[in-house]
């Protein structure tokens, strides 16, 4: 089963039985991106992460998780 939690920060956390977590982040132009975290680190579905290996969506999740 999957639990989804919303926050006032504009993202959702979805968890399941595995250790992976994922968040839906709304970008500055309204696009939605999926940030996931597993034992290897963070990933994002945005084009910036694909080319640079980092992005502001992951930065937002990290800021809000601390």
């Amino acid at each position: 089963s999957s639990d989804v939690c919303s926050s006032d920060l504009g993202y959702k956390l979805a968890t399941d039985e595995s250790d992976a977590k994922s968040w839906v982040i709304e970008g500055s132009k309204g696009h939605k991106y999926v940030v996931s975290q597993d034992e290897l680190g963070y990933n994002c579905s945005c084009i910036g992460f694909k080319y640079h290996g980092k992005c502001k969506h992951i930065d937002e999740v990290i800021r809000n998780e601390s």
Side-chain angles (χ1 to χ4, degrees):
S1 82
S2 181
D3 297 320
V4 177
C5 303
S6 313
S7 78
D8 295 331
L9 302 172
Y11 69 93
K12 293 180 181 174
L13 169 64
T15 60
D16 58 27
E17 285 78 23
S18 72
D19 288 335
K21 297 178 181 178
S22 63
W23 297 261
V24 177
I25 302 291
E26 185 168 337
S28 57
K29 296 187 174 145
H31 295 98
K32 295 198 187 313
Y33 302 102
V34 176
V35 174
S36 59
Q37 180 189 23
D38 60 21
E39 66 276 356
L40 300 176
Y42 289 92
N43 290 289
C44 185
S45 61
C46 76
I47 195 81
F49 182 80
K50 178 180 178 183
Y51 288 107
H52 304 290
K54 59 184 179 177
C55 67
K56 61 186 177 182
H57 312 110
I58 290 174
D59 293 341
E60 180 180 342
V61 167
I62 292 170
R63 264 195 318 273
N64 293 322
E65 288 295 296
S66 340

